[in-house]
Short mmCIF file of all heavy atoms in Angstrom, two decimals:
data_model
loop_
_atom_site.label_atom_id
_atom_site.label_comp_id
_atom_site.label_asym_id
_atom_site.label_seq_id
_atom_site.Cartn_x
_atom_site.Cartn_y
_atom_site.Cartn_z
N VAL I 141 -27.98 35.31 8.58
CA VAL I 141 -26.64 34.82 8.92
C VAL I 141 -26.44 33.30 8.73
O VAL I 141 -27.33 32.58 9.26
CB VAL I 141 -26.17 35.28 10.31
CG1 VAL I 141 -24.74 34.78 10.65
CG2 VAL I 141 -26.32 36.77 10.43
N SER I 155 -5.75 30.79 7.47
CA SER I 155 -6.43 31.39 6.40
C SER I 155 -7.98 31.15 6.38
O SER I 155 -8.67 31.51 5.54
CB SER I 155 -5.88 30.99 5.05
OG SER I 155 -6.04 29.66 4.87
N SER I 156 -8.41 30.48 7.41
CA SER I 156 -9.97 29.99 7.41
C SER I 156 -10.85 31.19 7.52
O SER I 156 -11.90 31.23 6.97
CB SER I 156 -10.14 29.00 8.49
OG SER I 156 -10.00 29.49 9.76
N THR I 157 -10.41 32.30 8.22
CA THR I 157 -11.33 33.36 8.40
C THR I 157 -11.45 34.08 7.04
O THR I 157 -12.56 34.52 6.65
CB THR I 157 -10.73 34.40 9.47
OG1 THR I 157 -10.62 33.67 10.69
CG2 THR I 157 -11.62 35.56 9.62
N ALA I 158 -10.37 34.21 6.32
CA ALA I 158 -10.32 34.83 4.99
C ALA I 158 -11.20 34.04 4.04
O ALA I 158 -12.01 34.52 3.23
CB ALA I 158 -8.97 35.01 4.51
N THR I 159 -11.06 32.70 4.18
CA THR I 159 -11.86 31.87 3.26
C THR I 159 -13.41 32.00 3.59
O THR I 159 -14.18 32.15 2.57
CB THR I 159 -11.53 30.35 3.59
OG1 THR I 159 -10.18 30.16 3.25
CG2 THR I 159 -12.35 29.42 2.69
N LEU I 160 -13.78 32.13 4.79
CA LEU I 160 -15.18 32.38 5.20
C LEU I 160 -15.65 33.70 4.67
O LEU I 160 -16.74 33.77 4.02
CB LEU I 160 -15.36 32.23 6.67
CG LEU I 160 -15.55 30.91 7.35
CD1 LEU I 160 -15.75 31.04 8.87
CD2 LEU I 160 -16.90 30.22 6.77
N LYS I 161 -14.94 34.79 5.08
CA LYS I 161 -15.40 36.06 4.71
C LYS I 161 -15.29 36.42 3.22
O LYS I 161 -16.25 36.84 2.65
CB LYS I 161 -14.67 37.18 5.56
CG LYS I 161 -15.10 37.10 7.03
CD LYS I 161 -16.52 37.51 7.10
CE LYS I 161 -16.96 37.64 8.59
NZ LYS I 161 -18.40 37.79 8.64
N MET I 162 -14.14 36.29 2.72
CA MET I 162 -13.90 36.68 1.35
C MET I 162 -14.42 35.67 0.25
O MET I 162 -14.85 36.09 -0.80
CB MET I 162 -12.39 36.88 1.07
CG MET I 162 -11.83 37.99 1.98
SD MET I 162 -12.78 39.43 2.03
CE MET I 162 -11.57 40.63 1.80
N GLY I 163 -14.37 34.50 0.59
CA GLY I 163 -14.69 33.51 -0.41
C GLY I 163 -16.19 32.97 -0.23
O GLY I 163 -17.02 33.36 -1.10
N ILE I 164 -16.46 32.37 0.75
CA ILE I 164 -17.81 31.72 0.96
C ILE I 164 -18.87 32.78 1.12
O ILE I 164 -19.92 32.74 0.50
CB ILE I 164 -17.75 30.80 2.14
CG1 ILE I 164 -16.80 29.61 1.82
CG2 ILE I 164 -19.23 30.21 2.42
CD1 ILE I 164 -16.50 28.80 3.01
N GLU I 165 -18.61 33.81 1.98
CA GLU I 165 -19.60 34.84 2.30
C GLU I 165 -19.98 35.60 0.98
O GLU I 165 -21.19 35.75 0.63
CB GLU I 165 -19.14 35.78 3.33
CG GLU I 165 -20.15 36.95 3.67
CD GLU I 165 -19.75 37.81 4.80
OE1 GLU I 165 -19.88 37.37 6.00
OE2 GLU I 165 -19.24 38.82 4.50
N ASN I 166 -18.96 36.01 0.27
CA ASN I 166 -19.22 36.73 -1.03
C ASN I 166 -20.02 35.86 -2.00
O ASN I 166 -20.90 36.35 -2.72
CB ASN I 166 -17.90 37.26 -1.65
CG ASN I 166 -17.32 38.35 -0.87
OD1 ASN I 166 -18.06 39.05 -0.07
ND2 ASN I 166 -16.05 38.64 -0.98
N MET I 167 -19.62 34.58 -2.10
CA MET I 167 -20.30 33.71 -3.10
C MET I 167 -21.72 33.54 -2.74
O MET I 167 -22.62 33.68 -3.53
CB MET I 167 -19.61 32.47 -3.13
CG MET I 167 -20.16 31.47 -4.26
SD MET I 167 -21.00 30.08 -3.77
CE MET I 167 -20.33 29.48 -2.26
N LYS I 169 -23.64 35.51 -0.84
CA LYS I 169 -24.39 36.74 -0.97
C LYS I 169 -24.72 36.96 -2.40
O LYS I 169 -25.77 37.57 -2.74
CB LYS I 169 -23.59 37.86 -0.42
CG LYS I 169 -23.58 38.00 1.07
CD LYS I 169 -22.66 39.28 1.43
CE LYS I 169 -22.65 39.58 2.90
NZ LYS I 169 -21.82 40.82 3.13
N SER I 176 -26.79 38.08 4.86
CA SER I 176 -26.09 39.20 5.25
C SER I 176 -24.69 38.88 5.80
O SER I 176 -23.90 39.83 5.91
CB SER I 176 -26.92 39.96 6.30
OG SER I 176 -27.06 39.22 7.46
N GLY I 177 -24.41 37.68 6.17
CA GLY I 177 -23.11 37.32 6.62
C GLY I 177 -22.92 35.86 6.87
O GLY I 177 -23.93 35.10 6.84
N VAL I 178 -21.71 35.49 7.11
CA VAL I 178 -21.31 34.08 7.39
C VAL I 178 -20.52 34.04 8.70
O VAL I 178 -19.51 34.91 8.79
CB VAL I 178 -20.54 33.44 6.26
CG1 VAL I 178 -20.04 32.07 6.62
CG2 VAL I 178 -21.36 33.32 4.99
N ARG I 179 -20.73 33.19 9.55
CA ARG I 179 -19.99 33.11 10.86
C ARG I 179 -19.56 31.73 11.13
O ARG I 179 -20.34 30.76 11.00
CB ARG I 179 -20.84 33.62 12.04
CG ARG I 179 -21.14 35.11 11.85
CD ARG I 179 -21.49 35.72 13.19
NE ARG I 179 -21.87 37.17 13.03
CZ ARG I 179 -23.05 37.66 13.14
NH1 ARG I 179 -23.95 36.88 13.67
NH2 ARG I 179 -23.26 38.90 12.88
N PRO I 180 -18.44 31.55 11.71
CA PRO I 180 -17.98 30.17 12.15
C PRO I 180 -18.55 29.75 13.46
O PRO I 180 -18.82 30.58 14.34
CB PRO I 180 -16.40 30.32 12.17
CG PRO I 180 -16.24 31.74 12.60
CD PRO I 180 -17.39 32.54 11.92
#
Side-chain angles (χ1 to χ4, degrees):
V141 179
S155 62
S156 65
T157 303
T159 299
L160 272 179
K161 287 295 183 190
M162 302 311 229
I164 298 167
E165 181 175 279
N166 288 340
M167 188 251 327
K169 283 180 171 181
S176 60
V178 173
R179 296 202 182 116

